Amino acid sequence: METVLVIGGGGREHAIVRALADDAEVYALSSNRNPGIDALAAGMEIADGTDTDAVVDYAEEIGADAAVVGPESALAAGVADALDDAGVFTFGPTAEAARIETDKAYQREFMAENDIPGTPGFETFDAADAAADYVESIDDDVAVKPAGLTGGKGVRVTGDQVSHAEAAAYVRESGHDEWVIEERLVGEEFTVQAFVADGVVRPTPAVQDHKRAYEGDEGPNTGGMGSYSDAGPTLPFMTEADYLAAVDVLDATVEALPAYTGVLYGQFMLTAEGPKVVEFNARFGDPEAMNVLPVMETPLLDVVTAARDGDTLPEPTFENRATVCKYAVPAGYPTDPESGAEIEVDES
């Protein structure tokens, strides 16, 4: 039986572990003890997932045949590079390839240089004052994004959440230097995640998540409050052509990144002009992994081992069922969550 190490301890990683556990001996490494993962894993190491030495040491201790990296922070830290250097195949991109997520300025410039369809209009800045001055100088509504990782909580949108003056003040006070200011995309958001290896793209069903806190979407943006998928690859507001257009964007992106291995996540806005790219992520979404993996009929292990062994990735099949994921979060989330809240779950 294959031994697989999963890095990360959130709901996304629980879904990954659950998708692997029937076919492999699964171990996990994360900074927290997730009880769902603990119940399924053959072993669990409590360590920082960005500590490449700790990850490699544990992979060697358990004799890992492959590894799957969940969080973007571990990818940015070069965990996939370190594991590959140690001879452990990793289903996750190198730190350089993960820049498609971890550096939003690079992401947009990469898209423009490679003529990726669905690229919105944008400007990049390497000084907060210059970015803020630009926001104040324009009439059109924009999305204001720090260039680095913010856990899905760094974006402000004028005309929706903040005024131009408030957005400019946010830029100046945030402590970030590098910014991307881009056209505000209006429409319905959705995500398509794809398995990628050797230039092959295998998409999964579309998912829509909800980022605004509180009933009625009245609160701030969060890393995610819940998500749903429909029976089949599309969502109720989209056509099959819309879905295929999104997949075409992922195909074009991988064609420009031929060495990319892992999951490529495209977040799209279905605008009047068709799907446009809100952002790319270099890993499964949290919560979107929890929608697609439980209904995937193809063993996740088959995808990982095919990528490792240089075989063509299998075409994944999915149960014809809709899914819903709903978040329970502590009071004060996302700006000032009260840590340590106890959650009781009656699994029966």
Side-chain angles (χ1 to χ4, degrees), residues 165-224:
E166 288 168 333
Y170 163 66
V171 170
R172 289 193 175 98
E173 296 163 6
S174 68
H176 297 286
D177 291 324
E178 297 183 7
W179 292 84
V180 180
I181 313 296
E182 57 192 43
E183 67 172 298
R184 179 190 176 190
L185 300 176
V186 177
E188 284 284 347
E189 263 187 84
F190 69 95
T191 295
V192 178
Q193 304 164 103
F195 301 109
V196 179
D198 296 321
V200 174
V201 177
R202 299 292 193 222
T204 68
V207 181
Q208 186 175 56
D209 82 336
H210 300 277
K211 290 193 175 298
R212 298 288 285 272
Y214 314 144
E215 295 293 333
D217 287 344
E218 293 178 355
N221 261 6
T222 71

Coordinates of all heavy atoms in Angstrom, one line a residue, residues 165-224:
A165 N -11.9 56.9 -1.5 CA -11.1 57.5 -0.5 C -10.8 56.5 0.6 O -9.7 56.5 1.1 CB -11.9 58.7 0.1
E166 N -11.8 55.7 1.0 CA -11.5 54.7 2.0 C -10.6 53.6 1.5 O -9.7 53.1 2.2 CB -12.9 54.0 2.4 CG -13.8 54.9 3.2 CD -15.2 54.3 3.3 OE1 -15.6 53.6 2.4 OE2 -15.9 54.6 4.3
A167 N -10.7 53.3 0.2 CA -9.7 52.3 -0.4 C -8.3 52.9 -0.4 O -7.3 52.2 -0.1 CB -10.1 51.9 -1.8
A168 N -8.2 54.1 -0.7 CA -6.8 54.8 -0.7 C -6.3 54.8 0.7 O -5.1 54.5 0.9 CB -6.9 56.2 -1.3
A169 N -7.1 55.1 1.7 CA -6.6 55.1 3.1 C -6.2 53.7 3.5 O -5.2 53.5 4.2 CB -7.7 55.7 4.0
Y170 N -7.0 52.7 3.1 CA -6.6 51.3 3.4 C -5.3 50.9 2.8 O -4.4 50.3 3.5 CB -7.7 50.4 2.8 CG -7.3 48.9 2.7 CD1 -7.1 48.2 3.9 CD2 -7.2 48.3 1.5 CE1 -6.7 46.8 3.8 CE2 -6.8 47.0 1.4 CZ -6.6 46.3 2.5 OH -6.2 44.9 2.4
V171 N -5.0 51.4 1.6 CA -3.7 51.1 1.0 C -2.6 51.7 1.8 O -1.5 51.1 2.1 CB -3.7 51.6 -0.5 CG1 -2.3 51.5 -1.1 CG2 -4.7 50.7 -1.3
R172 N -2.7 53.0 2.1 CA -1.7 53.7 2.8 C -1.4 53.1 4.2 O -0.3 53.1 4.7 CB -2.0 55.2 2.9 CG -2.0 55.9 1.6 CD -2.0 57.4 1.8 NE -1.8 58.1 0.5 CZ -2.8 58.6 -0.2 NH1 -4.1 58.5 0.2 NH2 -2.6 59.2 -1.4
E173 N -2.5 52.6 4.9 CA -2.3 52.2 6.3 C -2.0 50.7 6.4 O -1.8 50.2 7.5 CB -3.6 52.5 7.0 CG -3.9 54.0 7.1 CD -5.4 54.3 7.5 OE1 -6.1 53.3 7.8 OE2 -5.7 55.5 7.5
S174 N -2.0 49.9 5.3 CA -2.0 48.5 5.4 C -0.6 47.9 5.8 O -0.5 46.8 6.3 CB -2.4 47.9 4.1 OG -1.5 48.1 3.1
G175 N 0.4 48.6 5.5 CA 1.8 48.1 5.7 C 2.3 47.3 4.5 O 3.5 46.9 4.5
H176 N 1.6 47.2 3.4 CA 2.1 46.5 2.2 C 2.6 47.6 1.2 O 2.1 48.7 1.1 CB 0.9 45.8 1.5 CG 0.3 44.7 2.3 ND1 0.9 43.5 2.5 CD2 -0.9 44.6 2.9 CE1 0.2 42.7 3.3 NE2 -0.9 43.4 3.5
D177 N 3.7 47.2 0.5 CA 4.3 48.1 -0.5 C 3.7 47.8 -1.9 O 3.5 48.8 -2.6 CB 5.8 48.0 -0.5 CG 6.4 48.5 0.8 OD1 5.9 49.5 1.3 OD2 7.4 48.0 1.3
E178 N 3.6 46.5 -2.2 CA 3.3 46.2 -3.6 C 1.8 45.9 -3.7 O 1.2 45.2 -2.9 CB 4.1 44.9 -4.0 CG 5.6 45.2 -4.0 CD 6.4 44.0 -4.5 OE1 5.8 43.0 -5.0 OE2 7.6 44.0 -4.4
W179 N 1.2 46.5 -4.8 CA -0.2 46.4 -5.0 C -0.6 46.1 -6.4 O 0.2 46.5 -7.3 CB -0.9 47.8 -4.6 CG -0.8 48.0 -3.1 CD1 0.3 48.5 -2.4 CD2 -1.8 47.7 -2.1 NE1 0.0 48.6 -1.1 CE2 -1.2 48.1 -0.9 CE3 -3.0 47.1 -2.2 CZ2 -2.0 47.9 0.3 CZ3 -3.8 46.9 -1.0 CH2 -3.2 47.3 0.2
V180 N -1.8 45.5 -6.6 CA -2.4 45.4 -7.9 C -3.7 46.1 -7.8 O -4.5 45.8 -6.9 CB -2.6 43.9 -8.3 CG1 -3.2 43.8 -9.7 CG2 -1.3 43.2 -8.3
I181 N -4.0 47.0 -8.7 CA -5.2 47.7 -8.8 C -5.9 47.3 -10.2 O -5.2 47.5 -11.2 CB -5.1 49.3 -8.8 CG1 -4.1 49.7 -7.6 CG2 -6.5 49.9 -8.7 CD1 -4.6 49.3 -6.3
E182 N -7.0 46.7 -10.1 CA -7.6 46.2 -11.4 C -9.1 46.5 -11.5 O -9.7 46.8 -10.5 CB -7.4 44.7 -11.5 CG -7.9 43.8 -10.3 CD -7.4 42.4 -10.4 OE1 -6.2 42.2 -10.6 OE2 -8.2 41.5 -10.1
E183 N -9.6 46.3 -12.7 CA -11.0 46.7 -12.9 C -11.9 45.8 -12.1 O -11.6 44.7 -11.8 CB -11.3 46.4 -14.4 CG -11.3 45.0 -14.9 CD -11.9 44.8 -16.3 OE1 -13.0 45.1 -16.5 OE2 -11.1 44.3 -17.1
R184 N -12.9 46.5 -11.6 CA -13.9 45.7 -10.8 C -14.7 44.8 -11.7 O -15.3 45.3 -12.7 CB -14.8 46.7 -10.0 CG -15.9 45.9 -9.2 CD -17.0 46.9 -8.7 NE -18.0 46.1 -8.0 CZ -19.1 46.6 -7.6 NH1 -19.4 47.9 -7.8 NH2 -20.0 45.8 -7.0
L185 N -14.7 43.6 -11.4 CA -15.5 42.6 -12.3 C -16.9 42.4 -11.7 O -17.0 42.1 -10.5 CB -14.7 41.3 -12.3 CG -13.3 41.3 -12.9 CD1 -12.7 40.0 -12.9 CD2 -13.4 41.8 -14.4
V186 N -17.9 42.6 -12.5 CA -19.3 42.5 -12.0 C -19.9 41.2 -12.7 O -19.8 41.0 -13.9 CB -20.1 43.7 -12.4 CG1 -21.5 43.6 -12.0 CG2 -19.4 45.0 -11.8
G187 N -20.5 40.4 -11.8 CA -21.2 39.2 -12.3 C -21.3 38.2 -11.2 O -21.3 38.6 -10.0
E188 N -21.4 36.9 -11.6 CA -21.4 35.8 -10.6 C -20.0 35.2 -10.5 O -19.5 34.8 -11.5 CB -22.5 34.8 -11.0 CG -23.9 35.2 -10.7 CD -24.3 35.2 -9.3 OE1 -23.5 34.5 -8.5 OE2 -25.3 35.7 -8.9
E189 N -19.5 35.0 -9.3 CA -18.2 34.3 -9.1 C -18.4 32.8 -9.1 O -19.4 32.3 -8.6 CB -17.6 34.8 -7.8 CG -16.6 35.9 -7.9 CD -15.9 36.2 -6.6 OE1 -14.9 35.5 -6.3 OE2 -16.3 37.2 -5.9
F190 N -17.4 32.1 -9.6 CA -17.3 30.7 -9.5 C -15.9 30.2 -9.6 O -15.0 31.0 -10.0 CB -18.2 30.0 -10.5 CG -17.7 30.1 -11.9 CD1 -16.9 29.1 -12.5 CD2 -18.0 31.3 -12.7 CE1 -16.5 29.3 -13.8 CE2 -17.6 31.4 -14.0 CZ -16.8 30.4 -14.6
T191 N -15.7 29.0 -9.2 CA -14.3 28.4 -9.2 C -14.3 27.1 -9.9 O -15.3 26.3 -9.8 CB -13.9 28.2 -7.7 OG1 -13.8 29.4 -7.0 CG2 -12.5 27.4 -7.7
V192 N -13.3 26.9 -10.7 CA -13.0 25.6 -11.3 C -11.6 25.2 -10.9 O -10.7 25.9 -11.1 CB -13.1 25.6 -12.8 CG1 -12.8 24.2 -13.4 CG2 -14.6 26.0 -13.3
Q193 N -11.5 24.0 -10.3 CA -10.2 23.5 -9.8 C -9.9 22.3 -10.8 O -10.7 21.5 -11.2 CB -10.3 22.9 -8.4 CG -10.8 24.0 -7.4 CD -11.3 23.4 -6.1 OE1 -10.6 23.4 -5.1 NE2 -12.5 22.8 -6.1
A194 N -8.6 22.2 -11.1 CA -8.2 21.1 -12.0 C -6.9 20.4 -11.5 O -6.0 21.1 -10.9 CB -7.9 21.7 -13.4
F195 N -6.9 19.1 -11.7 CA -5.6 18.4 -11.5 C -4.7 18.6 -12.7 O -5.2 18.6 -13.8 CB -5.9 16.9 -11.4 CG -6.9 16.6 -10.2 CD1 -8.2 16.1 -10.5 CD2 -6.5 16.7 -8.9 CE1 -9.0 15.8 -9.4 CE2 -7.3 16.4 -7.9 CZ -8.6 15.9 -8.1
V196 N -3.4 18.8 -12.4 CA -2.5 19.1 -13.5 C -1.2 18.3 -13.3 O -0.7 18.3 -12.2 CB -2.1 20.7 -13.5 CG1 -1.1 21.0 -14.6 CG2 -3.4 21.5 -13.6
A197 N -0.7 17.8 -14.4 CA 0.6 17.2 -14.5 C 1.0 17.0 -15.9 O 0.2 16.6 -16.8 CB 0.6 15.8 -13.7
D198 N 2.3 17.2 -16.2 CA 2.8 17.0 -17.6 C 2.0 17.7 -18.6 O 1.8 17.1 -19.7 CB 2.9 15.5 -17.9 CG 3.9 14.8 -16.9 OD1 5.0 15.4 -16.6 OD2 3.6 13.7 -16.5
G199 N 1.5 18.9 -18.3 CA 0.8 19.6 -19.3 C -0.7 19.2 -19.5 O -1.4 19.8 -20.3
V200 N -1.1 18.2 -18.8 CA -2.5 17.7 -18.9 C -3.4 18.4 -17.8 O -2.9 18.5 -16.6 CB -2.5 16.2 -18.7 CG1 -4.0 15.7 -18.7 CG2 -1.8 15.5 -19.8
V201 N -4.6 18.8 -18.2 CA -5.5 19.5 -17.3 C -6.8 18.7 -17.1 O -7.4 18.4 -18.1 CB -5.8 20.9 -17.8 CG1 -6.8 21.6 -16.9 CG2 -4.5 21.7 -17.9
R202 N -7.1 18.3 -15.9 CA -8.3 17.5 -15.7 C -9.2 18.3 -14.7 O -9.0 18.3 -13.5 CB -8.0 16.2 -15.0 CG -7.1 15.3 -15.9 CD -7.8 14.8 -17.1 NE -7.1 13.7 -17.8 CZ -7.0 13.6 -19.1 NH1 -7.5 14.5 -19.9 NH2 -6.4 12.6 -19.6
P203 N -10.2 19.0 -15.3 CA -11.1 19.9 -14.4 C -12.1 19.1 -13.6 O -12.5 18.0 -13.9 CB -11.8 20.7 -15.5 CG -11.8 19.9 -16.7 CD -10.6 19.1 -16.7
T204 N -12.5 19.7 -12.5 CA -13.5 19.2 -11.6 C -14.7 20.1 -11.7 O -14.7 21.2 -12.3 CB -13.0 19.2 -10.2 OG1 -12.8 20.5 -9.7 CG2 -11.7 18.4 -10.1
P205 N -15.9 19.7 -11.1 CA -17.1 20.6 -11.2 C -16.9 22.0 -10.6 O -16.1 22.2 -9.7 CB -18.1 19.8 -10.4 CG -17.7 18.4 -10.5 CD -16.2 18.5 -10.5
A206 N -17.6 22.9 -11.2 CA -17.6 24.3 -10.7 C -18.2 24.4 -9.3 O -19.1 23.7 -9.0 CB -18.3 25.2 -11.7
V207 N -17.7 25.3 -8.5 CA -18.1 25.6 -7.2 C -18.3 27.1 -7.0 O -17.6 27.9 -7.6 CB -17.1 25.1 -6.1 CG1 -17.6 25.3 -4.7 CG2 -16.8 23.6 -6.3
Q208 N -19.3 27.5 -6.2 CA -19.4 28.9 -5.9 C -19.3 29.0 -4.4 O -19.9 28.3 -3.6 CB -20.8 29.5 -6.3 CG -20.8 31.0 -6.0 CD -22.1 31.6 -6.5 OE1 -23.2 31.2 -6.2 NE2 -22.0 32.7 -7.4
D209 N -18.4 29.9 -3.9 CA -18.3 30.1 -2.5 C -18.8 31.5 -2.1 O -19.1 32.3 -3.0 CB -16.8 29.9 -2.0 CG -15.9 31.1 -2.2 OD1 -16.2 31.9 -3.1 OD2 -14.9 31.2 -1.5
H210 N -18.9 31.7 -0.8 CA -19.5 33.0 -0.3 C -18.5 33.5 0.7 O -18.2 32.9 1.7 CB -20.9 32.7 0.3 CG -21.8 32.1 -0.6 ND1 -22.6 32.9 -1.5 CD2 -22.2 30.8 -0.9 CE1 -23.3 32.1 -2.3 NE2 -23.1 30.9 -1.9
K211 N -18.0 34.7 0.4 CA -16.9 35.3 1.2 C -17.4 36.3 2.2 O -16.6 36.6 3.2 CB -15.9 35.9 0.2 CG -15.1 34.9 -0.6 CD -13.9 35.6 -1.2 CE -13.0 34.5 -1.9 NZ -12.5 33.5 -1.1
R212 N -18.6 36.8 2.0 CA -19.0 37.9 3.0 C -19.5 37.3 4.2 O -20.3 36.3 4.2 CB -20.0 38.8 2.3 CG -19.5 39.5 1.1 CD -18.6 40.6 1.4 NE -19.3 41.8 1.9 CZ -19.8 42.8 1.2 NH1 -19.7 42.7 -0.1 NH2 -20.4 43.8 1.8
A213 N -19.1 37.8 5.4 CA -19.6 37.4 6.7 C -21.1 37.9 6.9 O -21.5 38.9 6.2 CB -18.7 37.9 7.8
Y214 N -21.8 37.2 7.8 CA -23.1 37.6 8.3 C -24.2 37.3 7.3 O -24.0 37.3 6.1 CB -23.2 39.1 8.7 CG -22.0 39.6 9.5 CD1 -21.5 40.9 9.4 CD2 -21.4 38.7 10.5 CE1 -20.5 41.3 10.2 CE2 -20.4 39.2 11.2 CZ -19.9 40.5 11.1 OH -18.8 40.9 11.8
E215 N -25.4 37.2 7.8 CA -26.6 37.0 7.0 C -26.8 38.1 6.0 O -26.5 39.3 6.3 CB -27.8 36.8 7.8 CG -27.8 35.6 8.7 CD -27.9 34.3 8.0 OE1 -28.5 34.3 6.9 OE2 -27.5 33.3 8.5
G216 N -27.2 37.8 4.8 CA -27.4 38.9 3.8 C -26.1 39.5 3.2 O -26.2 40.5 2.6
D217 N -25.0 38.8 3.4 CA -23.7 39.3 2.9 C -23.4 40.7 3.3 O -22.8 41.5 2.6 CB -23.7 39.2 1.3 CG -23.6 37.8 0.8 OD1 -23.3 36.9 1.6 OD2 -24.0 37.6 -0.4
E218 N -23.8 41.0 4.6 CA -23.6 42.4 5.0 C -22.2 42.6 5.7 O -21.9 43.8 6.0 CB -24.7 42.8 6.0 CG -26.1 42.8 5.4 CD -27.2 43.1 6.3 OE1 -26.9 43.2 7.6 OE2 -28.3 43.3 5.9
G219 N -21.5 41.6 5.9 CA -20.2 41.7 6.6 C -19.0 41.8 5.7 O -19.1 41.9 4.5
P220 N -17.8 41.8 6.3 CA -16.6 42.0 5.5 C -16.3 40.7 4.7 O -16.8 39.6 5.0 CB -15.5 42.2 6.6 CG -16.0 41.5 7.8 CD -17.5 41.7 7.8
N221 N -15.4 40.8 3.8 CA -14.9 39.7 3.0 C -14.1 38.8 4.0 O -13.4 39.3 4.9 CB -13.9 40.1 1.9 CG -14.6 40.1 0.6 OD1 -15.8 39.9 0.5 ND2 -13.8 40.3 -0.5
T222 N -14.2 37.5 3.8 CA -13.5 36.5 4.7 C -12.7 35.5 3.7 O -12.8 35.7 2.5 CB -14.5 35.7 5.5 OG1 -15.2 34.8 4.6 CG2 -15.4 36.6 6.3
G223 N -12.1 34.6 4.3 CA -11.5 33.5 3.5 C -12.5 32.5 3.0 O -12.2 31.7 2.1
G224 N -13.8 32.7 3.4 CA -14.8 31.8 2.9 C -15.8 31.5 4.0 O -15.4 31.2 5.2

